[in-house]
Amino acid sequence: MRAGEGIWHILLLAFAIGTRVVDARVDVKDGTDEIIDAGEEAVILLEQTQEQACKELFGCPLLPLDVYYDEDTKAAFASFKQVSAGEGALILDPLKSAGTDHAATLTLIGYKGGDPNAQINQDRSFVMDPFIIRSDSDDDSSFTTGKLLGVFDGHADRGELVSEFVKNELPRLLHSKLSAAGVDLQTEEHVQQALVETFVELDGLVPADPSGGCTCSVILQLNNKVYVANAGDSVSFVAATTTKSSSSSEPATTEIIYQSRDDKPHLPEERKRIEEMGGEVYVPENPGGTSRAIYVDPITGGRTGLAMSRSIGDWDVGKLGVIPNPIVDVVDLSNYYPGDDDEERFLFAVSATDGLMDYVEAPIIAQHVATHLFHDTTTDIDDDATRKHVLIACEELVLEAGGRWQKARGGRYRDDIAIAVAKLTLPPSSSTSAKEEL
């Protein structure tokens, strides 16, 4: 039996235990203390087996919590911010599923009119740190450890189903391609091709009938290379924070070293492809408007437009030139280490949906994340300092964007918002090589 097959047996056991837990909780009303104890033990065993299973497959994802409408999350943040700044490693239990000291992901459901309690969040996100790639062989010891994060902004009637599917299936599908025989993880073209094939295959698998799609913006770190793959108008970027020596009075600086583009229909090469495939591009006269790829909505039968030139799903407009193929660019982290003799440099990655990016500029996001992610190296912290943590940075950014939507739209509309953040680290061997070259 190969390693992967064994883990699936563990997962099946976990699901079986979960079923028994439900049965035990139903019987608790009869006052059986033994059943309560059995249920609690089963819950613990279930959590342990699920954690073991996902670690042995390719990693356990951090998944977003809603920063405003989830009352437990709001209460946890309120308590978390009261923790002494010196207790940096402490994360309250309700927030552990969404963040660690070096990675986080959060969300805020939007408002599109009607009953506030009937709103559906179509944004999804995750962070997998580590993302474990095991070779397609019987050697269990052969694996590469990386990082994977991304956001998926659903739209149209079944958008939340499409984004949910992509969020769940992308890590598995990408892992299968990166671990396949003949794939060299040190060869950029192999990794880029694996990402492109993953996006294209997901496009054919998603539950997008009759209407639905999502953006797909992911960041994959393997060794000293960071691959940014983007389809749609969500954004991913890599940023660097530079600090001077302790004797310097100069403040830390943060800059974005790579940012994905918005795939918009009016871009020359995108418009050319759409029109050559029989599509039509609408470009508004108003500079503040957005271009759209025009198609007939399969549900209403009316003409409508998609505000992007690449996406997952959206099959009707896909026939007219909107493609799932991502643009995949590569950032070599060794080019940014170790900095000058009197400085130190730290890198991180951010993926965000347009619900955030439309109202908070990328440099502001980068600066705020850096302040919280590297606070122990970029600021003087004392016991009375404001609590700093990457989870708090994400919460504040999401709420800031939500407030700006509220002000700009008068409460009539707010897009869903999602963000995923992870610290990037250079492997020791790569870091040593970079220093030696300098």
Side-chain angles (χ1 to χ4, degrees):
M1 180 183 296
R2 293 181 54 185
E5 295 172 345
I7 297 307
W8 283 117
H9 285 291
I10 294 175
L11 284 173
L12 290 174
L13 173 62
F15 290 135
I17 294 171
T19 301
R20 291 198 294 273
V21 171
V22 172
D23 292 341
R25 286 174 175 170
V26 169
D27 291 339
V28 163
K29 63 186 179 182
D30 295 331
T32 308
D33 294 337
E34 291 79 4
I35 294 179
I36 295 177
D37 293 338
E40 291 175 347
E41 292 175 3
V43 169
I44 294 172
L45 181 57
L46 172 61
E47 292 175 347
Q48 292 174 340
T49 51
Q50 286 178 327
E51 182 176 2
Q52 177 190 355
C54 63
K55 282 184 177 178
E56 293 191 27
L57 282 170
F58 39 77
C60 297
L62 297 173
L63 296 174
L65 297 169
D66 191 292
V67 299
Y68 187 80
Y69 292 98
D70 185 323
E71 293 298 331
D72 290 339
T73 299
K74 285 177 65 176
F77 267 112
S79 299
F80 188 42
K81 292 176 182 179
Q82 301 303 315
V83 176
S84 168
E87 298 177 302
L90 177 63
I91 300 178
L92 299 184
D93 283 340
L95 303 179
K96 285 183 178 180
S97 64
T100 66
D101 282 342
H102 47 79
T105 179
L106 292 171
T107 190
L108 174 64
I109 190 171
Y111 177 73
K112 290 96 175 181
D115 183 356
N117 296 318
Q119 304 302 304
I120 297 175
N121 191 343
Q122 295 189 308
D123 280 7
R124 298 293 186 272
S125 59
F126 69 73
V127 180
M128 298 190 75
D129 183 9
F131 178 55
I132 304 169
I133 303 166
R134 302 183 184 278
S135 64
D136 192 8
S137 69
D138 291 328
D139 182 5
D140 294 344
S141 64
S142 179
F143 65 90
T144 299
T145 300
K147 301 175 191 284
L148 180 66
L149 62 148
V151 295
F152 318 95
D153 184 350
H155 48 256
D157 186 60
R158 296 171 66 86
E160 69 278 7
L161 301 181
V162 174
S163 59
E164 177 73 10
F165 183 92
V166 173
K167 181 261 293 182
N168 290 336
E169 291 299 314
L170 184 144
R172 181 193 63 80
L173 188 55
L174 178 60
H175 176 273
S176 70
K177 295 185 178 301
L178 293 174
S179 63
V183 174
D184 181 4
L185 299 183
Q186 300 294 330
T187 302
E188 291 181 7
E189 291 77 10
H190 286 192
V191 179
Q192 288 174 304
Q193 185 62 29
L195 282 160
V196 171
E197 290 178 359
T198 297
F199 277 51
V200 172
E201 288 190 27
L202 284 169
D203 180 68
L205 296 172
V206 293
D209 186 23
S211 176
C214 76
T215 67
C216 189
S217 191
V218 300
I219 299 173
L220 168 69
Q221 181 188 4
L222 295 176
N223 300 312
N224 62 313
K225 301 290 178 65
V226 174
Y227 299 83
V228 183
N230 187 76
D233 59 3
S234 294
V235 171
S236 289
F237 64 78
V238 179
T241 291
T242 304
T243 64
K244 295 295 183 179
S245 64
S246 57
S247 61
S248 174
S249 60
E250 294 184 40
T253 59
T254 299
E255 63 175 333
I256 294 174
I257 60 179
Y258 173 83
Q259 181 172 328
S260 63
R261 76 167 192 186
D262 281 0
D263 294 322
K264 291 297 185 180
H266 70 272
L267 297 174
E269 68 274 22
E270 303 295 281
R271 182 170 189 168
K272 181 175 183 292
R273 182 187 66 248
I274 291 170
E275 292 179 344
E276 285 179 348
M277 293 184 65
E280 175 187 349
V281 174
Y282 165 75
V283 180
E285 297 180 0
N286 180 2
T290 181
S291 60
R292 295 180 179 273
I294 304 302
Y295 68 105
V296 176
D297 187 294
I299 295 179
T300 66
R303 280 167 56 89
T304 187
L306 183 66
M308 61 196 76
S309 56
R310 301 180 186 228
S311 71
I312 306 294
D314 298 306
W315 293 336
D316 283 271
V317 72
K319 303 170 186 175
L320 303 173
V322 172
I323 60 176
N325 306 55
I327 293 174
V328 185
D329 285 326
V330 186
V331 178
D332 189 339
L333 297 185
S334 60
N335 292 334
Y336 299 92
Y337 280 104
D340 296 335
D341 292 339
D342 64 339
E343 64 184 25
E344 193 169 5
R345 190 165 289 150
F346 308 91
L347 281 86
F348 60 99
V350 176
S351 294
T353 59
D354 61 352
L356 178 64
M357 302 302 301
D358 282 354
Y359 282 94
V360 184
E361 297 80 4
I364 294 176
I365 296 172
Q367 180 61 57
H368 197 67
V369 169
T371 299
H372 284 260
L373 191 57
F374 307 112
H375 66 90
D376 56 337
T377 55
T378 60
T379 58
D380 293 327
I381 298 296
D382 56 46
D383 290 338
D384 296 325
T386 303
R387 186 77 170 92
K388 297 287 194 299
H389 195 279
V390 65
L391 271 166
I392 295 175
C394 291
E395 182 224 21
E396 291 175 346
L397 287 166
V398 169
L399 291 176
E400 176 67 20
R404 294 185 182 187
W405 275 98
Q406 179 77 12
K407 183 177 180 180
R409 300 295 186 95
R412 295 183 298 275
Y413 181 87
R414 182 184 67 250
D415 201 0
D416 303 320
I417 300 169
I419 184 173
V421 174
K423 180 180 179 180
L424 302 176
T425 53
L426 199 63
S429 59
S430 300
S431 180
T432 301
S433 299
K435 292 179 181 179
E436 290 175 347
E437 290 177 4
L438 293 173

